[in-house]
Each structure stands twice: as structure tokens, then as C-alpha cells.
Short mmCIF file of all heavy atoms in Angstrom, two decimals:
data_model
loop_
_atom_site.label_atom_id
_atom_site.label_comp_id
_atom_site.label_asym_id
_atom_site.label_seq_id
_atom_site.Cartn_x
_atom_site.Cartn_y
_atom_site.Cartn_z
N MET A 1 105.76 -5.10 14.41
CA MET A 1 107.03 -4.47 14.12
C MET A 1 107.73 -5.27 13.03
O MET A 1 108.13 -6.41 13.27
CB MET A 1 107.88 -4.37 15.39
CG MET A 1 109.33 -3.95 15.17
SD MET A 1 109.51 -2.28 14.61
CE MET A 1 111.26 -2.23 14.25
N LYS A 2 107.89 -4.69 11.86
CA LYS A 2 108.57 -5.36 10.77
C LYS A 2 110.03 -4.93 10.73
O LYS A 2 110.35 -3.76 10.82
CB LYS A 2 107.88 -5.05 9.43
CG LYS A 2 106.49 -5.63 9.33
CD LYS A 2 105.87 -5.36 7.99
CE LYS A 2 104.49 -6.00 7.87
NZ LYS A 2 103.85 -5.76 6.57
N ILE A 3 110.92 -5.92 10.62
CA ILE A 3 112.34 -5.62 10.59
C ILE A 3 112.99 -6.31 9.38
O ILE A 3 112.52 -7.35 8.89
CB ILE A 3 113.06 -6.06 11.87
CG1 ILE A 3 112.98 -7.57 12.07
CG2 ILE A 3 112.54 -5.32 13.06
CD1 ILE A 3 113.85 -8.12 13.15
N SER A 4 114.07 -5.68 8.91
CA SER A 4 114.85 -6.26 7.82
C SER A 4 115.95 -7.14 8.38
O SER A 4 116.69 -6.73 9.27
CB SER A 4 115.44 -5.11 6.97
OG SER A 4 116.57 -5.56 6.27
N TYR A 5 116.07 -8.33 7.84
CA TYR A 5 117.11 -9.27 8.28
C TYR A 5 118.48 -8.71 8.03
O TYR A 5 119.34 -8.74 8.92
CB TYR A 5 116.90 -10.60 7.49
CG TYR A 5 117.97 -11.65 7.74
CD1 TYR A 5 117.95 -12.43 8.88
CD2 TYR A 5 118.95 -11.90 6.79
CE1 TYR A 5 118.91 -13.40 9.11
CE2 TYR A 5 119.91 -12.88 6.99
CZ TYR A 5 119.90 -13.64 8.14
OH TYR A 5 120.84 -14.61 8.35
N ASN A 6 118.73 -8.16 6.85
CA ASN A 6 120.05 -7.58 6.54
C ASN A 6 120.35 -6.34 7.39
O ASN A 6 121.49 -6.12 7.78
CB ASN A 6 120.13 -7.22 5.05
CG ASN A 6 120.17 -8.46 4.16
OD1 ASN A 6 120.47 -9.56 4.62
ND2 ASN A 6 119.84 -8.28 2.88
N TRP A 7 119.34 -5.54 7.65
CA TRP A 7 119.49 -4.33 8.47
C TRP A 7 119.91 -4.74 9.87
O TRP A 7 120.79 -4.15 10.46
CB TRP A 7 118.16 -3.57 8.45
CG TRP A 7 118.21 -2.19 9.00
CD1 TRP A 7 119.27 -1.56 9.58
CD2 TRP A 7 117.15 -1.24 8.99
NE1 TRP A 7 118.91 -0.28 9.96
CE2 TRP A 7 117.62 -0.07 9.59
CE3 TRP A 7 115.83 -1.28 8.54
CZ2 TRP A 7 116.81 1.06 9.77
CZ3 TRP A 7 115.02 -0.18 8.71
CH2 TRP A 7 115.53 0.99 9.31
N LEU A 8 119.27 -5.75 10.40
CA LEU A 8 119.58 -6.22 11.76
C LEU A 8 121.03 -6.70 11.88
O LEU A 8 121.72 -6.43 12.87
CB LEU A 8 118.62 -7.36 12.13
CG LEU A 8 118.73 -7.95 13.55
CD1 LEU A 8 118.41 -6.93 14.59
CD2 LEU A 8 117.84 -9.17 13.68
N LYS A 9 121.52 -7.34 10.85
CA LYS A 9 122.90 -7.88 10.85
C LYS A 9 123.94 -6.77 10.90
O LYS A 9 125.12 -7.01 11.20
CB LYS A 9 123.14 -8.76 9.63
CG LYS A 9 122.33 -10.06 9.66
CD LYS A 9 122.76 -11.05 8.61
CE LYS A 9 124.06 -11.71 9.00
NZ LYS A 9 124.40 -12.83 8.10
N GLU A 10 123.53 -5.52 10.56
CA GLU A 10 124.47 -4.41 10.65
C GLU A 10 124.86 -4.06 12.07
O GLU A 10 125.93 -3.53 12.33
CB GLU A 10 123.87 -3.17 9.95
CG GLU A 10 124.80 -2.00 9.88
CD GLU A 10 124.20 -0.83 9.11
OE1 GLU A 10 123.62 -1.06 8.03
OE2 GLU A 10 124.31 0.31 9.58
N TYR A 11 123.99 -4.40 13.03
CA TYR A 11 124.22 -3.99 14.43
C TYR A 11 124.64 -5.13 15.34
O TYR A 11 125.14 -4.89 16.44
CB TYR A 11 122.92 -3.38 14.99
CG TYR A 11 122.38 -2.27 14.12
CD1 TYR A 11 121.09 -2.34 13.62
CD2 TYR A 11 123.16 -1.17 13.78
CE1 TYR A 11 120.60 -1.34 12.79
CE2 TYR A 11 122.69 -0.15 12.99
CZ TYR A 11 121.40 -0.25 12.48
OH TYR A 11 120.92 0.74 11.65
N VAL A 12 124.48 -6.36 14.88
CA VAL A 12 124.92 -7.48 15.73
C VAL A 12 125.41 -8.61 14.77
O VAL A 12 124.78 -8.90 13.74
CB VAL A 12 123.79 -7.97 16.65
CG1 VAL A 12 122.55 -8.39 15.86
CG2 VAL A 12 124.26 -9.11 17.55
N ASN A 13 126.52 -9.20 15.13
CA ASN A 13 127.12 -10.22 14.30
C ASN A 13 126.56 -11.60 14.69
O ASN A 13 126.79 -12.08 15.80
CB ASN A 13 128.63 -10.21 14.49
CG ASN A 13 129.35 -11.10 13.48
OD1 ASN A 13 128.80 -11.41 12.43
ND2 ASN A 13 130.56 -11.52 13.84
N PHE A 14 125.81 -12.22 13.77
CA PHE A 14 125.26 -13.54 14.04
C PHE A 14 125.24 -14.35 12.74
O PHE A 14 125.29 -13.79 11.63
CB PHE A 14 123.86 -13.46 14.65
CG PHE A 14 122.83 -12.83 13.78
CD1 PHE A 14 122.06 -13.57 12.88
CD2 PHE A 14 122.59 -11.44 13.86
CE1 PHE A 14 121.14 -12.96 12.08
CE2 PHE A 14 121.63 -10.85 13.07
CZ PHE A 14 120.89 -11.61 12.15
N TYR A 15 125.13 -15.67 12.90
CA TYR A 15 125.17 -16.58 11.72
C TYR A 15 123.92 -17.44 11.70
O TYR A 15 124.00 -18.63 11.35
CB TYR A 15 126.44 -17.42 11.78
CG TYR A 15 127.71 -16.60 11.74
CD1 TYR A 15 128.38 -16.29 12.93
CD2 TYR A 15 128.23 -16.14 10.53
CE1 TYR A 15 129.53 -15.53 12.90
CE2 TYR A 15 129.37 -15.35 10.50
CZ TYR A 15 130.02 -15.08 11.69
OH TYR A 15 131.15 -14.29 11.67
N LEU A 16 122.78 -16.86 12.05
CA LEU A 16 121.55 -17.60 12.02
C LEU A 16 120.81 -17.33 10.74
O LEU A 16 120.82 -16.19 10.23
CB LEU A 16 120.65 -17.15 13.19
CG LEU A 16 121.24 -17.30 14.62
CD1 LEU A 16 120.32 -16.61 15.63
CD2 LEU A 16 121.40 -18.78 14.97
N SER A 17 120.15 -18.32 10.20
CA SER A 17 119.29 -18.12 9.05
C SER A 17 118.06 -17.36 9.50
O SER A 17 117.77 -17.27 10.71
CB SER A 17 118.87 -19.47 8.46
OG SER A 17 118.01 -20.15 9.34
N PRO A 18 117.28 -16.79 8.56
CA PRO A 18 116.06 -16.08 8.99
C PRO A 18 115.14 -16.95 9.83
O PRO A 18 114.57 -16.47 10.81
CB PRO A 18 115.41 -15.73 7.64
CG PRO A 18 116.57 -15.55 6.70
CD PRO A 18 117.55 -16.60 7.12
N GLN A 19 114.99 -18.23 9.49
CA GLN A 19 114.11 -19.11 10.26
C GLN A 19 114.70 -19.39 11.65
O GLN A 19 113.99 -19.40 12.65
CB GLN A 19 113.88 -20.42 9.50
CG GLN A 19 112.86 -21.35 10.19
CD GLN A 19 111.50 -20.71 10.37
OE1 GLN A 19 110.87 -20.28 9.41
NE2 GLN A 19 111.03 -20.61 11.61
N GLU A 20 116.01 -19.62 11.71
CA GLU A 20 116.68 -19.83 13.00
C GLU A 20 116.57 -18.59 13.89
O GLU A 20 116.34 -18.71 15.11
CB GLU A 20 118.14 -20.22 12.81
CG GLU A 20 118.32 -21.59 12.18
CD GLU A 20 119.78 -21.86 11.82
OE1 GLU A 20 120.52 -20.88 11.54
OE2 GLU A 20 120.16 -23.03 11.73
N LEU A 21 116.74 -17.43 13.27
CA LEU A 21 116.58 -16.17 14.01
C LEU A 21 115.17 -16.04 14.54
O LEU A 21 114.98 -15.66 15.71
CB LEU A 21 116.92 -15.00 13.09
CG LEU A 21 116.68 -13.60 13.67
CD1 LEU A 21 117.60 -13.34 14.85
CD2 LEU A 21 116.92 -12.54 12.58
N ALA A 22 114.19 -16.35 13.71
CA ALA A 22 112.79 -16.27 14.15
C ALA A 22 112.52 -17.18 15.32
O ALA A 22 111.83 -16.81 16.29
CB ALA A 22 111.87 -16.63 12.97
N ASP A 23 113.09 -18.39 15.29
CA ASP A 23 112.89 -19.34 16.36
C ASP A 23 113.52 -18.83 17.68
O ASP A 23 112.95 -18.96 18.76
CB ASP A 23 113.49 -20.71 16.01
CG ASP A 23 112.74 -21.38 14.86
OD1 ASP A 23 111.57 -21.02 14.62
OD2 ASP A 23 113.33 -22.28 14.22
N LYS A 24 114.71 -18.27 17.55
CA LYS A 24 115.41 -17.74 18.76
C LYS A 24 114.63 -16.59 19.37
O LYS A 24 114.46 -16.52 20.59
CB LYS A 24 116.81 -17.25 18.37
CG LYS A 24 117.78 -18.35 17.94
CD LYS A 24 118.27 -19.16 19.13
CE LYS A 24 119.38 -20.13 18.69
NZ LYS A 24 119.84 -20.97 19.85
N LEU A 25 114.15 -15.65 18.53
CA LEU A 25 113.38 -14.53 19.03
C LEU A 25 112.08 -14.99 19.69
O LEU A 25 111.67 -14.49 20.72
CB LEU A 25 113.10 -13.54 17.93
CG LEU A 25 114.29 -12.74 17.42
CD1 LEU A 25 113.90 -11.91 16.17
CD2 LEU A 25 114.82 -11.80 18.51
N THR A 26 111.43 -15.94 19.04
CA THR A 26 110.17 -16.48 19.58
C THR A 26 110.40 -17.11 20.97
O THR A 26 109.57 -16.94 21.88
CB THR A 26 109.56 -17.51 18.61
OG1 THR A 26 109.27 -16.85 17.37
CG2 THR A 26 108.26 -18.09 19.17
N ASN A 27 111.51 -17.80 21.14
CA ASN A 27 111.79 -18.48 22.39
C ASN A 27 112.04 -17.49 23.55
O ASN A 27 111.90 -17.88 24.70
CB ASN A 27 113.01 -19.40 22.23
CG ASN A 27 112.69 -20.64 21.40
OD1 ASN A 27 111.51 -21.03 21.28
ND2 ASN A 27 113.71 -21.26 20.83
N VAL A 28 112.46 -16.28 23.22
CA VAL A 28 112.70 -15.30 24.29
C VAL A 28 111.54 -14.31 24.45
O VAL A 28 111.68 -13.29 25.12
CB VAL A 28 114.03 -14.53 24.07
CG1 VAL A 28 115.21 -15.50 24.14
CG2 VAL A 28 114.00 -13.74 22.77
N GLY A 29 110.40 -14.63 23.80
CA GLY A 29 109.20 -13.81 24.02
C GLY A 29 108.84 -12.84 22.92
O GLY A 29 107.82 -12.15 23.02
N LEU A 30 109.68 -12.73 21.85
CA LEU A 30 109.36 -11.87 20.73
C LEU A 30 108.92 -12.78 19.56
O LEU A 30 109.72 -13.18 18.73
CB LEU A 30 110.59 -11.03 20.32
CG LEU A 30 111.04 -10.01 21.36
CD1 LEU A 30 112.39 -9.45 20.96
CD2 LEU A 30 110.03 -8.89 21.50
N VAL A 31 107.63 -13.05 19.53
CA VAL A 31 107.09 -14.02 18.58
C VAL A 31 107.21 -13.46 17.15
O VAL A 31 106.72 -12.35 16.86
CB VAL A 31 105.62 -14.35 18.88
CG1 VAL A 31 105.05 -15.32 17.85
CG2 VAL A 31 105.52 -14.93 20.29
N VAL A 32 107.83 -14.21 16.27
CA VAL A 32 107.90 -13.84 14.85
C VAL A 32 106.76 -14.52 14.15
O VAL A 32 106.71 -15.74 13.98
CB VAL A 32 109.26 -14.26 14.25
CG1 VAL A 32 109.31 -13.92 12.76
CG2 VAL A 32 110.40 -13.59 14.99
N ALA A 33 105.79 -13.69 13.71
CA ALA A 33 104.56 -14.24 13.13
C ALA A 33 104.73 -14.62 11.67
O ALA A 33 104.01 -15.51 11.17
CB ALA A 33 103.44 -13.18 13.24
N ASP A 34 105.69 -13.98 10.97
CA ASP A 34 105.78 -14.24 9.55
C ASP A 34 107.20 -13.87 9.05
O ASP A 34 107.82 -12.98 9.59
CB ASP A 34 104.73 -13.45 8.78
CG ASP A 34 104.63 -13.84 7.31
OD1 ASP A 34 104.91 -15.03 7.01
OD2 ASP A 34 104.27 -12.98 6.50
N ILE A 35 107.64 -14.58 8.01
CA ILE A 35 108.89 -14.27 7.33
C ILE A 35 108.61 -14.22 5.84
O ILE A 35 108.08 -15.18 5.26
CB ILE A 35 109.98 -15.33 7.60
CG1 ILE A 35 110.20 -15.54 9.09
CG2 ILE A 35 111.29 -14.95 6.91
CD1 ILE A 35 111.16 -16.69 9.43
N GLN A 36 108.94 -13.07 5.22
CA GLN A 36 108.70 -12.92 3.80
C GLN A 36 109.99 -12.49 3.09
O GLN A 36 110.65 -11.56 3.51
CB GLN A 36 107.63 -11.85 3.56
CG GLN A 36 106.22 -12.25 3.99
CD GLN A 36 105.64 -13.36 3.13
OE1 GLN A 36 106.02 -13.54 1.98
NE2 GLN A 36 104.71 -14.13 3.71
N PRO A 37 110.34 -13.18 1.98
CA PRO A 37 111.50 -12.74 1.19
C PRO A 37 111.19 -11.46 0.45
O PRO A 37 110.10 -11.32 -0.12
CB PRO A 37 111.73 -13.90 0.24
CG PRO A 37 110.39 -14.58 0.14
CD PRO A 37 109.72 -14.39 1.45
N VAL A 38 112.10 -10.48 0.48
CA VAL A 38 111.95 -9.22 -0.24
C VAL A 38 113.26 -8.97 -0.98
O VAL A 38 114.26 -8.57 -0.38
CB VAL A 38 111.64 -8.05 0.71
CG1 VAL A 38 111.46 -6.77 -0.09
CG2 VAL A 38 110.41 -8.35 1.57
N GLU A 39 113.25 -9.23 -2.28
CA GLU A 39 114.44 -9.12 -3.11
C GLU A 39 115.57 -9.94 -2.51
O GLU A 39 115.44 -11.14 -2.32
CB GLU A 39 114.84 -7.64 -3.32
CG GLU A 39 113.77 -6.84 -4.07
CD GLU A 39 114.19 -5.41 -4.30
OE1 GLU A 39 115.32 -5.02 -3.93
OE2 GLU A 39 113.36 -4.63 -4.86
N ASP A 40 116.71 -9.31 -2.13
CA ASP A 40 117.82 -10.05 -1.53
C ASP A 40 117.80 -10.01 -0.01
O ASP A 40 118.82 -10.21 0.65
CB ASP A 40 119.15 -9.51 -2.05
CG ASP A 40 119.31 -8.04 -1.72
OD1 ASP A 40 118.32 -7.40 -1.34
OD2 ASP A 40 120.46 -7.55 -1.82
N ASP A 41 116.64 -9.73 0.55
CA ASP A 41 116.50 -9.56 2.01
C ASP A 41 115.30 -10.37 2.50
O ASP A 41 114.61 -11.04 1.70
CB ASP A 41 116.28 -8.07 2.33
CG ASP A 41 116.61 -7.72 3.78
OD1 ASP A 41 116.86 -8.64 4.56
OD2 ASP A 41 116.60 -6.53 4.10
N PHE A 42 115.05 -10.32 3.81
CA PHE A 42 113.88 -10.98 4.39
C PHE A 42 113.22 -10.00 5.36
O PHE A 42 113.91 -9.27 6.10
CB PHE A 42 114.26 -12.25 5.15
CG PHE A 42 114.74 -13.37 4.26
CD1 PHE A 42 116.09 -13.49 3.95
CD2 PHE A 42 113.85 -14.28 3.74
CE1 PHE A 42 116.55 -14.50 3.12
CE2 PHE A 42 114.29 -15.30 2.91
CZ PHE A 42 115.64 -15.42 2.58
N CYS A 43 111.91 -9.96 5.37
CA CYS A 43 111.15 -9.14 6.30
C CYS A 43 110.57 -10.03 7.38
O CYS A 43 109.79 -10.94 7.08
CB CYS A 43 110.05 -8.39 5.57
SG CYS A 43 108.99 -7.39 6.67
N LEU A 44 110.92 -9.76 8.63
CA LEU A 44 110.41 -10.52 9.76
C LEU A 44 109.35 -9.68 10.48
O LEU A 44 109.63 -8.53 10.85
CB LEU A 44 111.52 -10.90 10.74
CG LEU A 44 112.44 -12.06 10.37
CD1 LEU A 44 113.37 -11.68 9.22
CD2 LEU A 44 113.26 -12.51 11.58
N ASP A 45 108.17 -10.24 10.66
CA ASP A 45 107.09 -9.57 11.36
C ASP A 45 107.08 -10.01 12.80
O ASP A 45 106.68 -11.13 13.12
CB ASP A 45 105.75 -9.88 10.69
CG ASP A 45 104.62 -8.99 11.19
OD1 ASP A 45 104.87 -8.18 12.12
OD2 ASP A 45 103.51 -9.07 10.66
N VAL A 46 107.58 -9.14 13.69
CA VAL A 46 107.75 -9.50 15.11
C VAL A 46 106.60 -8.92 15.93
O VAL A 46 106.28 -7.73 15.81
CB VAL A 46 109.10 -8.95 15.66
CG1 VAL A 46 109.31 -9.38 17.11
CG2 VAL A 46 110.25 -9.38 14.79
#
């Protein structure tokens, strides 16, 4: 499941960097396998 970092921020207010967000999701069981920059956004592969 690929998600947009900026898209996600539209629905929940948080101040985590893409890497910090990936670490948090991984710790609760949603492993983030990859983070790729896409223009002014980031794509997280969950």
C-alpha cells in the first residue's frame, strides 16, 4: 500500500518527518518498507 506523506497530513495533524513517521508505523505493526521522494512529496510503501 503506497501512501502520500502530504496526503496523509490532510487527515491528521502531526509533526513527524517521513522517516519518523515510518518508524512510528513500523512500531505499531505497519512496516514501512521504503520511502521515496516524489517532487515536493514522499511516497511511503507500507
Side-chain angles (χ1 to χ4, degrees):
M1 169 68 188
K2 292 182 178 180
I3 62 169
S4 157
Y5 175 78
N6 290 342
W7 193 355
L8 183 65
K9 293 191 76 171
E10 184 176 315
Y11 308 122
V12 58
N13 189 22
F14 62 88
Y15 300 97
L16 303 171
S17 69
Q19 186 58 59
E20 290 171 334
L21 174 64
D23 292 340
K24 293 285 187 182
L25 289 173
T26 299
N27 288 338
V28 296
L30 294 170
V31 178
V32 178
D34 189 30
I35 305 174
Q36 291 292 335
V38 181
E39 297 183 3
D40 59 346
D41 200 353
F42 292 90
C43 177
L44 283 71
D45 192 355
V46 184

